[in-house]
Amino acid sequence: MDIDAFTAVHQAEWDRLSVLAGRRRLSAAEADELLRLYQRTSTHLSMIRAAQPSSMLAASLSATLGKARTQLTGTGENPFVSAAYFFTQSLPVAFYRIRWLTLILTGAFLLIAFGFGWWTANHPEIDLIMPPEAREAYAQEDFVNYYSEHPNSSFAAQVWTNNAWIAAQMVAFGVTGVWVPYILFVNAQAVGMAAGIMAEQGELSTFFVNILPHGFMELTAVFIAGAAGLRIFWSWVAPGTRTRMDSLAQEGRKLITVALGLVLVLLISGVVEGFVTPSDLPSWLKLVIGALVLAGYWTYTIVLGGRAHRASVSGDLGTYDAGTHQLTA
């Protein structure tokens, strides 16, 4: 094949393809023309490569076809736009959908913790639970020293990763229906018995001053994760008009964002636990900081989440990414 003659015949088409591929907006007629030229130039490129596979002309046409392909298929969504949508739509609406279940779990946790606390503080044979010397050391030294025995930054990182891992487990394993109640019960028992020992030693105020600044948000994050896990569990127990697998997949896609969002929530809680709780700030200021963090979360959930919910934002993937689901009668 005479490459020079071939180029002379088709150069105008290639130039036109390059012009259309470089435009930001195309009319309907121009889009049709771009598609036709793209298909035709692809054939030309294959013919040129068969004759001269390493020629400059083949490389030039490959670059032009790449630009045209991007124009036809579109580029990926801007990552900043995706991140903004996640934090202003998908995440708050996921928190908003489980708000009532979060509050129910909060109430159940506090009730169980109070029961164990009262039982421990008033147990007639509390020495069997913990010897007197150990209780005194726990109330006078160990409980407070726990928050300051490690450098603030490393302690904050440690509690952050540990709590984020627990929250992710509760969301992921909530589908079993037993993991969330078990984790919440164990933690409520531990918190309640710790409070009971502190109360028995006359240090209940020390307990609250040291646990509430970070505990406001930290425990709420655990309840949020538990609510998401139980919601996923219920999706296959009562799937409604969908198949169980479709219902489970859809609810899982909507609520797995909770696990991602709680990583950031627990980061803030970890910073409070690592830097505020063991600090020399006045007790009232520590409690105010913890309460403000919690209020910030609920404001974010109610305001942005409620707005997204009223706008019918589901938090699910788009139709193309989520795929189709089986029709049921």
Side-chain angles (χ1 to χ4, degrees), residues 84-95 254 257 308 313-316:
Y85 184 85
F86 175 79
F87 286 110
T88 61
Q89 303 287 328
S90 300
L91 181 60
V93 82
F95 286 155
K254 290 179 181 180
T257 54
V313 175
S314 66
D316 197 0

Side-chain angles (χ1 to χ4, degrees), residues 229-259:
L230 290 180
R231 186 70 178 260
I232 294 173
F233 162 71
W234 193 249
S235 68
W236 68 263
V237 173
T241 59
R242 297 169 293 181
T243 64
R244 295 186 190 278
M245 288 305 297
D246 278 343
S247 178
L248 177 61
Q250 186 179 56
E251 203 68 23
R253 290 193 304 267
K254 290 179 181 180
L255 292 176
I256 198 63
T257 54
V258 169

Side-chain angles (χ1 to χ4, degrees), residues 48 54 69 72 142 154 179 203 316:
I48 293 171
S54 301
R69 187 182 305 112
L72 289 168
D142 297 346
S154 61
W179 187 257
E203 295 289 344
D316 197 0

Side-chain angles (χ1 to χ4, degrees), residues 116-323:
F116 273 101
W118 185 90
W119 176 81
T120 302
N122 296 278
H123 199 289
E125 298 181 357
I126 193 173
D127 291 348
L128 298 177
I129 300 175
M130 183 180 288
E133 298 81 5
R135 296 200 309 276
E136 182 177 358
Y138 179 79
Q140 300 296 328
E141 299 177 6
D142 297 346
F143 184 82
V144 175
N145 291 342
Y146 167 76
Y147 298 100
S148 57
E149 61 185 352
H150 298 291
N152 292 352
S153 57
S154 61
F155 181 62
Q158 178 185 350
V159 297
W160 172 41
T161 53
N162 179 67
N163 292 331
W165 173 237
I166 293 175
Q169 285 182 316
M170 294 182 73
V171 176
F173 299 151
V175 67
T176 63
V178 297
W179 187 257
V180 170
Y182 168 74
I183 293 297
L184 290 179
F185 181 84
V186 169
N187 280 274
Q189 181 186 46
V191 170
M193 294 185 70
I197 292 172
M198 296 292 285
E200 188 265 341
Q201 291 292 314
E203 295 289 344
L204 187 60
S205 60
T206 303
F207 172 82
F208 286 121
V209 166
N210 282 273
I211 202 171
L212 287 183
H214 64 273
F216 280 134
M217 192 65 254
E218 182 178 276
L219 290 175
T220 300
V222 173
F223 306 146
I224 296 166
L230 290 180
R231 186 70 178 260
I232 294 173
F233 162 71
W234 193 249
S235 68
W236 68 263
V237 173
T241 59
R242 297 169 293 181
T243 64
R244 295 186 190 278
M245 288 305 297
D246 278 343
S247 178
L248 177 61
Q250 186 179 56
E251 203 68 23
R253 290 193 304 267
K254 290 179 181 180
L255 292 176
I256 198 63
T257 54
V258 169
L260 301 177
L262 288 180
V263 172
L264 296 178
V265 171
L266 288 168
L267 172 60
I268 298 172
S269 174
V271 170
V272 174
E273 185 169 2
F275 292 91
V276 176
T277 299
S279 71
D280 295 327
L281 292 173
S283 299
W284 65 267
L285 184 56
K286 294 181 183 181
L287 295 173
V288 167
I289 292 174
L292 287 175
V293 172
L294 181 62
Y297 163 78
W298 281 111
T299 301
Y300 173 79
T301 298
I302 300 301
V303 176
L304 292 184
R307 183 183 303 163
H309 180 73
R310 290 187 293 273
S312 299
V313 175
S314 66
D316 197 0
L317 296 175
T319 304
Y320 179 81
D321 295 318

